[in-house]
Amino acid sequence: FKQKTAYEIGVRLVGSEMCIRDSFTIRSTLVFWATEMSVTKGANLMSYLREVDDPRKPSNGTLHDFVEMLVIAVAAALSDCDTVEDIAYWARAKEAWLRKFLLLTNGVPSEETFLRVFRVLDPKQFERAFRRWVGGIVGALSGNIAVDGKTVRGSGSGNETAIHMVSAFATDLGIVLGQEKVSGKSNEITAIPELLEALYLKGFLVSIDAMGCQKKIAARITDQGGDYLLAVKGNQPTLLEAIETAFIDQHQSEGVDRQHEVQKGHGRIVAQIASVLPAPKIVPLVDWPQCKTIGRIDSLRKVGDKESELERRYYISSRVLTAEQLAAAARAHWGVESRLHWILDVSFGEDGSTIRKDNAPQNLSLLKKIVLNMIRLDTTNKTKGSLRLKRKAAAWDDDLRMNMLG
């Protein structure tokens, strides 16, 4: 069916069931989320989530449609619901609204039902659907991708180690492109190649902190058509020494491109000098493919009367960068702390979550990132406001929520 036909006759298909509704009740493209109908090209989230297998066994007497549960969870998370308990309570309160586009044959699922589903839902399938959805948006873009990890602190207890999520973050759009779960920060090295492999990197500059400064990771990025910007520290001693020596030798040289910058705000002053040199004859290309630039950033921070010690950071990149471009890329990378990690903690209460069993922590982390992306990509709500306020607005206003989801 085409969208126009579905609106005219008000027909919905959910699984093998058919429900005929008056066409005036079908007010949003949300109606197509739970259908078997062909979908329009673009980034229709639920068309991708339908590819995720229902993890429950029919023999156990399942009462609630799996796709409908995903629809409810996304709509509830958009509406400022951070916990499984919140999701179930919100669904009961909004049952009349949900019935405008969902069958809910056996009513609204309970908190226990939502939790069981998120515990057994295959996170790899969930992640693949998420990446395909985002890939439909990002495929035609370019810019910077910051790869960085965050520990979900509430997911650990007693002998259970908290999970660590490594995310790829498109800094220009402020959206998450994908995530990989690891048991701790020290295991990021194994997760980063898997995360990158599934992403579209052509034309992007991929920035990673010193943990990801690995030869195989650099090769992975360039093989996929991207460029890398890797922080260099003591875990690569030979490379670090070569870069340090080069900048010492060229200290007075006019061949060093430098950019001076002073930033003031929030009661602090940050002074920074970014410097770059060509990488040939300094960095062995056999180890670091296509490396073209080495960089150094010196920073001093003053908060009130207290002045920090000099912080010096070194970088390598497969892209020819000016000092100004290096400074901008490094600043964009560390924006992941305030624009992703901090948001997940403060606006979504991720660290406060006590969900620990099975796949639930990883799946709920991804659910929050889906909503984060939806808000950042939304063009229907023109009012200015924080992400926190936009979630509250979606909770208060049914029409606004419908537009943001549709």
Side-chain angles (χ1 to χ4, degrees):
F1 297 137
K2 294 181 179 179
Q3 181 168 329
K4 182 179 179 182
T5 304
Y7 270 94
E8 290 173 348
I9 66 176
V11 174
R12 287 191 297 112
L13 299 177
V14 182
S16 60
E17 300 180 87
M18 177 178 286
C19 175
I20 301 178
R21 299 281 180 89
D22 294 336
S23 59
F24 73 84
T25 67
I26 303 176
R27 300 167 53 201
S28 166
T29 53
L30 257 177
V31 70
F32 296 98
W33 282 19
T35 70
E36 298 259 274
M37 293 184 284
S38 60
V39 296
T40 56
K41 292 182 179 179
N44 184 307
L45 172 62
M46 284 302 153
S47 68
Y48 294 116
L49 291 184
R50 284 195 61 80
E51 300 172 5
V52 181
D53 294 333
D54 186 344
R56 302 167 297 173
K57 296 180 179 179
S59 59
N60 289 341
T62 53
L63 297 176
H64 304 284
D65 182 86
F66 175 60
V67 176
E68 288 192 348
M69 292 184 67
L70 292 180
V71 172
I72 294 170
V74 171
L78 178 62
S79 301
D80 206 28
C81 294
D82 294 331
T83 68
V84 174
E85 180 183 15
D86 292 347
I87 292 171
Y89 188 93
W90 178 90
R92 290 194 297 272
K94 289 294 183 180
E95 183 173 353
W97 181 79
L98 290 168
R99 285 189 180 277
K100 293 178 180 180
F101 49 87
L102 299 179
L103 289 175
L104 300 179
T105 304
N106 293 300
V108 173
S110 66
E111 174 188 350
E112 292 75 15
T113 301
F114 276 112
L115 183 56
R116 282 196 299 270
V117 167
F118 279 113
R119 284 179 62 180
V120 297
L121 174 61
D122 184 346
K124 291 291 186 183
Q125 286 196 6
F126 198 22
E127 173 70 19
R128 280 197 297 270
F130 171 77
R131 290 179 184 176
R132 290 196 61 196
W133 169 58
V134 176
I137 304 165
V138 177
L141 301 177
S142 59
N144 292 8
I145 296 175
V147 176
D148 198 42
K150 175 186 179 297
T151 300
V152 183
R153 302 190 186 283
S155 63
S157 176
N159 295 327
E160 296 180 0
T161 303
I163 66 170
H164 191 77
M165 303 302 303
V166 181
S167 299
F169 185 71
T171 61
D172 292 357
L173 287 176
I175 64 172
V176 180
L177 306 180
Q179 68 174 27
E180 281 287 336
K181 171 189 169 185
V182 293
S183 57
K185 184 172 179 61
S186 61
N187 293 316
E188 284 187 16
I189 295 173
T190 59
I192 291 173
E194 293 182 27
L195 177 60
L196 295 174
E197 185 177 7
L199 297 178
Y200 181 88
L201 300 182
K202 190 173 183 179
F204 284 93
L205 179 65
V206 182
S207 58
I208 313 176
D209 65 16
M211 182 70 73
C213 186
Q214 305 291 329
K215 299 167 187 176
K216 290 183 179 179
I217 291 176
R220 164 68 66 188
I221 293 169
T222 55
D223 287 348
Q224 292 181 221
D227 285 303
Y228 57 80
L229 175 65
L230 306 178
V232 182
K233 289 186 178 180
N235 61 327
Q236 295 291 344
T238 303
L239 177 63
L240 178 61
E241 183 180 1
I243 297 173
E244 288 176 330
T245 301
F247 277 106
I248 292 171
D249 292 344
Q250 298 290 326
H251 179 63
Q252 300 294 336
S253 172
E254 295 182 358
V256 181
D257 179 25
R258 294 186 178 90
Q259 190 240 11
H260 301 251
E261 184 178 12
V262 177
Q263 296 177 334
K264 299 180 181 180
H266 305 288
R268 64 186 179 186
I269 301 173
V270 179
Q272 178 175 284
I273 302 174
S275 310
V276 296
L277 282 170
K281 299 182 181 180
I282 299 171
V283 177
L285 297 183
V286 66
D287 293 329
W288 305 99
Q290 302 180 37
C291 187
K292 297 180 176 66
T293 302
I294 62 170
R296 185 180 73 187
I297 296 180
D298 294 327
S299 300
L300 277 173
R301 183 186 304 262
K302 186 176 182 180
V303 181
D305 296 330
K306 295 182 179 180
E307 186 174 301
S308 69
E309 294 183 0
L310 175 68
E311 180 184 7
R312 176 163 286 174
R313 290 169 285 157
Y314 292 98
Y315 298 88
I316 58 171
S317 179
S318 60
R319 182 177 292 185
V320 175
L321 297 174
T322 64
E324 183 179 3
Q325 289 171 332
L326 171 64
R331 186 165 53 249
H333 177 85
W334 293 115
V336 72
E337 292 290 340
S338 60
R339 300 180 67 206
L340 177 60
H341 300 337
W342 187 86
I343 290 291
L344 290 172
D345 284 344
V346 175
S347 295
F348 289 90
E350 184 169 81
D351 275 0
S353 173
T354 56
I355 300 296
R356 302 184 179 100
K357 297 294 184 180
D358 305 317
N359 300 327
Q362 185 175 352
N363 287 325
L364 290 173
S365 177
L366 187 61
L367 178 65
K368 291 174 170 62
K369 289 167 183 171
I370 288 172
V371 170
L372 172 69
N373 283 4
M374 293 181 76
I375 295 174
R376 291 258 169 89
L377 294 169
D378 176 58
T379 58
T380 62
N381 184 5
K382 303 298 183 182
T383 59
K384 292 185 179 180
S386 66
L387 189 142
R388 180 184 65 86
L389 288 177
K390 288 186 177 182
R391 291 182 76 201
K392 289 187 180 297
W396 298 329
D397 190 329
D398 288 351
D399 291 332
L400 176 61
R401 183 189 322 114
M402 189 80 82
N403 289 333
M404 293 176 73
L405 287 167

